Amino acid sequence: MLAMLKENERVGIGTARGTERALGVVDRMTAACVGSTLVALTMTPLDVVKVKVQACSGGVGLGDCVRNPWCKEFYMSNGMMELKQLKSKWPCFKKPPSPCVHSPTLTILKHTIHTEGIRGVYAGFVPTIVMSIPNNVMYFAAYEAGKESGLHPTVSGSMARLLSSSLVAPLEFTRTRIQAGHTISSVQASIHTEGYGVLWRGIVPTLWRDVPFSGLYWGSYESLMYVFNTNFPHALSFFKAFVAGGLSGCVSATFTMPFDVVKTRHQVQSQTAESAPQEGLFSSLRTITQTEGVSALFSGLGPRVARAGPSCAIMISAYEAMKVYLRCHEL
């Protein structure tokens, strides 16, 4: 595949006649699907290991739904998006896995394969694919449209995330309700009694984190690609996109970490103290800073950067590689 991409770029990313074929909507949807699938295949096993370790480590953490015994739900994240999971569906919350906390990642992976098979390693893979593909298809289509219309990458990226997250939220609400044992009729009943706003419940804290992340990501990515293309014009674009995507993901994850901390704490509080009113975003940021210090706003930064960097690198490089390939091969 890499050899083919290199040859395609050598002849000008064109067809056999040396002319470039314009990419259509289907081509870009296909590229986004391939990238989403590769991210899920690569990152899901690592997140499964993280969940297993946290499930048996115990403790009541303010910022961790997995460790908190009162939470009935937790969130898996492949670095690009997160999905709600029910603890009742995961055996590790009923019987702590062994080996556990102090075991290396590879040991836990091997043990999971031995005891649960490949399905155990890819627990949560199907819902991840089901949700990430439409999300990323809309996200990348919106970003490309904004970029082609002349918007700055930061603005285009922010608007693309706002649009895709808002459109996918009803699907995620329906999926989690069905996973919890509800029927479509009960979902319809919720809409009837609480209004259509229930489909977007909890989306505001997510947008406060993901929209700035996306804006920073695309602004950084396009800037780095300009530098790489200027200084390394003959380097394979796949590798330039991989490095630029990974670095941009790490930078964006770092700067938006305070929003992630507040969002996660609100998720825990909503399950452990439903009667207690929650503070707003900026009130929560101020309270955490005053009571725990600025460092608390960056609690869990390492694991988040470790997920965001690789997942962003894989997604954007696969997306760009598929675009190069599809310019030379019609579907």
Side-chain angles (χ1 to χ4, degrees):
M1 181 68 175
L2 288 178
M4 185 180 298
L5 293 173
K6 191 171 185 178
E7 177 62 19
N8 289 340
E9 292 191 4
R10 188 186 65 80
V11 299
I13 317 179
T15 61
R17 297 175 182 173
T19 58
E20 181 178 339
R21 182 176 75 86
L23 294 177
V25 175
V26 175
D27 296 315
R28 290 174 177 173
M29 289 175 62
T30 302
C33 289
V34 170
S36 300
T37 303
L38 287 177
V39 170
L41 284 171
T42 307
M43 303 303 294
T44 298
L46 299 179
D47 208 35
V48 167
V49 170
K50 185 204 74 171
V51 170
K52 286 178 175 288
V53 169
Q54 291 180 323
C56 60
S57 63
V60 183
L62 283 174
D64 197 335
C65 289
V66 178
R67 285 194 179 96
N68 197 308
W70 297 104
C71 288
K72 299 182 183 300
E73 304 163 345
F74 68 97
Y75 289 80
M76 287 186 69
S77 173
N78 60 18
M80 294 202 68
M81 68 178 300
E82 60 182 18
L83 292 171
K84 185 185 294 184
Q85 300 285 330
L86 297 178
K87 287 186 176 180
S88 60
K89 303 292 184 180
W90 285 64
C92 62
F93 290 103
K94 300 174 183 177
K95 181 181 179 181
S98 178
C100 193
V101 182
H102 302 294
S103 301
T105 298
L106 186 58
T107 301
I108 299 176
L109 275 175
K110 289 180 178 179
H111 182 266
T112 302
I113 294 174
H114 179 71
T115 57
E116 303 176 40
I118 294 297
R119 291 183 62 182
V121 174
Y122 281 96
F125 176 77
V126 173
T128 298
I129 285 293
V130 169
M131 296 306 301
S132 64
I133 286 180
N135 189 310
N136 283 330
V137 165
M138 287 185 283
Y139 176 53
F140 278 86
Y143 174 73
E144 296 270 16
K147 182 181 174 183
E148 290 173 359
S149 68
L151 291 177
H152 189 277
T154 300
V155 177
S156 182
S158 298
M159 293 180 64
R161 179 54 71 196
L162 176 64
L163 177 64
S164 62
S165 295
S166 299
L167 292 177
V168 170
L171 297 178
E172 171 66 357
F173 174 82
T174 303
R175 182 192 71 82
T176 53
R177 292 298 293 269
I178 291 175
Q179 185 186 40
H182 297 277
T183 62
I184 292 294
S185 298
S186 69
V187 174
Q188 293 173 336
S190 297
I191 296 173
H192 179 73
T193 56
E194 302 180 55
Y196 284 99
V198 72
L199 297 174
W200 287 272
R201 179 182 294 166
I203 194 176
V204 174
T206 300
L207 292 178
W208 269 112
R209 181 197 61 189
D210 291 352
V211 171
F213 178 98
S214 184
L216 285 169
Y217 171 79
W218 285 110
S220 301
Y221 173 79
E222 296 291 359
S223 297
L224 285 172
M225 285 299 290
Y226 175 80
V227 172
F228 291 163
N229 288 329
T230 301
N231 294 280
F232 309 101
H234 302 297
L236 190 61
S237 63
F238 171 86
F239 293 114
K240 289 186 285 190
F242 187 90
V243 175
L247 291 175
S248 299
C250 292
V251 170
S252 303
T254 300
F255 278 98
T256 58
M257 189 65 208
F259 298 129
D260 186 65
V261 168
V262 172
K263 178 182 180 296
T264 305
R265 291 195 181 195
H266 282 185
Q267 288 170 346
V268 175
Q269 291 170 3
S270 67
Q271 298 184 60
T272 58
E274 297 184 3
S275 59
Q278 287 187 351
E279 291 183 296
L281 173 68
F282 293 103
S283 295
S284 296
L285 288 172
R286 185 169 56 252
T287 299
I288 293 172
T289 303
Q290 292 175 346
T291 59
E292 303 175 48
V294 175
S295 61
L297 296 176
F298 294 90
S299 175
L301 177 62
R304 186 172 187 234
V305 169
R307 289 195 303 269
S311 64
C312 288
I314 294 168
M315 181 69 209
I316 192 62
S317 58
Y319 179 74
E320 293 295 342
M322 280 302 299
K323 285 168 60 178
V324 170
Y325 176 81
L326 292 171
R327 284 192 180 102
C328 307
H329 304 80
E330 293 191 37
L331 293 176

